[in-house]
């Protein structure tokens, strides 16, 4: 008699990639152990990185509650023996006017540049015209021009404007500069978003129905642009709030933003370290709040237009 070979799934010694079926539970245990080990390693690395990142914040916070008389670099990492809010009160009194000016500047610069970038991105993505690609590339060149390269001619131009319009000095000057410098990146973000997330068929259908360019934008494109606006608003708000170079060249301590005021607070022969540290924490608080409140929307907005 001839023996008939049984299928592999019936035979007890059936083979699978890497061994027999009998070895499968052991391999699964090994994979589970390896996965647990990798998870533990990742958590350990995350804890190490978190400690490294938060260590300066800890030093700032602890120092801000000390008094100048007891502050010493040898005890900078230790908790104060007597907690004092004098540094916070002094820092707030010195920075409060500049904080208000910075808030107005950052909000206006973010909103205006986001709106202009949205309009530009809509045109470049959905309304093709001769030379549109060349003009779009020229827009992008604006992102690669360093501030330092144009600071001297920019200062002269702004002084000429301020001679005829004194009210333009200070925050209005900074708003204009941040809007102009923010248009290229906002245009790029919105152009990529509209090119992938907004179907061209919808725009074509609105044209067939007789809708004009602005009507199509306001009634069809703008309502679905929230992810793009979240990204650009956060980006521009942070950029304008943290800028110091424009403030140094184009404003002074009386009409400048909080970064200028913070620089004045930290200058001097005998720096008040608790006051300086409190001022740093106060100055960075708005951007921290923005990222905590809108951070998840920032990431989702960046990914919204990545694929069709």
């Amino acid at each position: 008699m001839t023996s008939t070979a049984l299928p592999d799934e019936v035979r007890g010694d059936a083979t699978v990639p890497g061994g027999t079926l009998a070895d499968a539970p052991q391999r699964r245990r090994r994979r589970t152990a390896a996965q647990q080990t990798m998870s533990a390693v990742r958590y350990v690395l995350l804890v190490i990185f978190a400690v490294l990142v938060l260590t300066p914040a800890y030093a700032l916070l602890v120092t801000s509650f000390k008094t100048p008389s007891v502050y010493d670099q040898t005890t900078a990492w230790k908790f104060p023996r007597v907690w004092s809010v004098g540094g916070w009160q002094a820092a707030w009194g010195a920075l409060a006017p500049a904080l208000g000016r910075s808030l107005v500047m950052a909000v206006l610069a973010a909103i205006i540049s986001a709106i202009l970038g949205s309009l530009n991105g809509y045109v470049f993505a959905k309304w093709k015209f001769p030379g549109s690609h060349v003009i779009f590339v020229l827009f992008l060149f604006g992102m690669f021009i360093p501030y330092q390269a144009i600071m001297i001619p920019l200062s002269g131009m702004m002084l000429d404007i301020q001679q005829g319009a004194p009210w333009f000095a200070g925050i209005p000057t900074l708003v204009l500069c941040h809007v102009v410098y923010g248009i290229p990146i906002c245009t790029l973000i919105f152009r990529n978003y509209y090119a992938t997330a907004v179907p061209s068929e919808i725009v074509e259908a609105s044209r067939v129905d007789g809708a004009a360019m602005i009507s199509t934008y306001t009634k069809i494109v703008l309502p679905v642009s929230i992810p793009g606006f979240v990204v650009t608003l956060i980006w521009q708000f942070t950029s304008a709030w943290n800028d110091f170079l424009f403030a140094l060249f184009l404003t002074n301590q009386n009409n400048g933003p909080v970064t200028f005021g913070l620089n004045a607070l930290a200058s001097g022969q005998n720096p008040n370290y608790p006051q300086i540290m409190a001022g740093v924490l106060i100055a960075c608080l708005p951007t921290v709040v923005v990222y905590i409140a809108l951070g998840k929307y920032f990431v989702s907005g960046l990914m919204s237009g990545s694929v069709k």
Side-chain angles (χ1 to χ4, degrees):
M1 293 179 61
T2 59
S3 59
T4 302
L6 296 175
D8 287 345
E9 60 271 16
V10 178
R11 297 172 55 190
D13 59 345
T15 59
V16 294
T20 63
L21 288 174
D23 298 331
Q26 185 177 359
R27 286 196 306 276
R28 283 196 295 269
R29 286 194 295 270
R30 286 199 298 267
R31 283 198 298 268
T32 303
Q35 292 171 354
Q36 292 176 349
T37 302
M38 291 302 299
S39 298
V41 171
R42 283 195 293 266
Y43 281 118
V44 170
L45 291 176
L46 288 174
V47 170
I48 293 174
F49 291 147
V51 170
L52 292 176
V53 171
L54 294 178
T55 296
Y58 164 80
L60 289 174
L61 186 62
V62 170
T63 304
S64 67
F65 286 102
K66 295 179 181 179
T67 57
S69 58
V70 300
Y71 174 79
D72 190 348
Q73 293 183 357
T74 60
T75 60
W77 300 99
K78 296 181 180 180
F79 284 102
R81 295 181 179 178
V82 178
W83 293 78
S84 173
V85 295
W88 285 84
Q89 293 173 346
W92 176 258
L95 296 179
L99 281 170
R101 292 193 294 266
S102 280
L103 186 62
V104 173
M105 176 200 66
V107 170
L108 288 178
I111 293 176
I112 296 174
S113 57
I115 293 175
L116 294 178
S118 175
L119 291 169
N120 292 335
Y122 165 62
V123 171
F124 285 125
K126 300 301 180 184
W127 291 76
K128 302 298 182 181
F129 54 90
S132 60
H133 293 290
V134 176
I135 297 177
F136 178 66
V137 172
L138 293 177
F139 261 89
L140 297 186
F141 279 152
M143 294 191 300
F144 305 104
I145 300 176
Y147 292 180
Q148 297 84 350
I150 50 90
M151 199 54 63
I152 293 178
L154 179 63
S155 300
M157 184 179 69
M158 291 302 170
L159 287 176
D160 293 339
I161 295 176
Q162 292 168 13
Q163 287 179 356
W167 59 268
F168 194 73
I171 296 304
T173 298
L174 295 181
V175 170
L176 176 61
C177 293
H178 286 296
V179 167
V180 172
Y181 251 91
I183 286 177
I185 182 64
C186 293
T187 300
L188 175 63
I189 292 173
F190 275 108
R191 188 262 182 189
N192 293 341
Y193 176 76
Y194 291 146
T196 56
V198 178
S200 299
E201 292 78 7
I202 297 179
V203 178
E204 294 295 335
S206 67
R207 293 181 184 177
V208 173
D209 291 338
M213 177 178 171
I214 298 299
S215 298
T216 303
Y217 172 77
T218 55
K219 296 180 180 179
I220 297 177
V221 177
L222 188 59
V224 298
S225 302
I226 294 178
F229 273 101
V230 171
V231 173
T232 52
L233 287 174
I234 294 177
W235 185 284
Q236 284 301 106
F237 180 90
T238 306
S239 176
W241 184 275
N242 293 331
D243 172 70
F244 176 68
L245 190 61
F246 279 144
L248 182 63
F249 275 83
L250 303 177
T251 62
N252 55 53
Q253 188 174 352
N254 296 324
N255 60 10
V258 68
T259 51
F260 201 110
L262 189 62
N263 178 69
L265 189 68
S267 61
Q269 296 295 328
N270 297 313
N272 187 331
Y273 286 104
Q275 181 178 343
I276 295 172
M277 301 305 178
V280 171
L281 292 173
I282 292 174
C284 71
L285 186 61
T287 53
V288 173
V289 171
V290 168
Y291 270 104
I292 291 176
L294 302 175
K296 61 179 181 180
Y297 302 106
F298 182 79
V299 176
S300 62
L302 284 176
M303 299 300 296
S304 293
S306 59
V307 294
K308 287 189 177 181

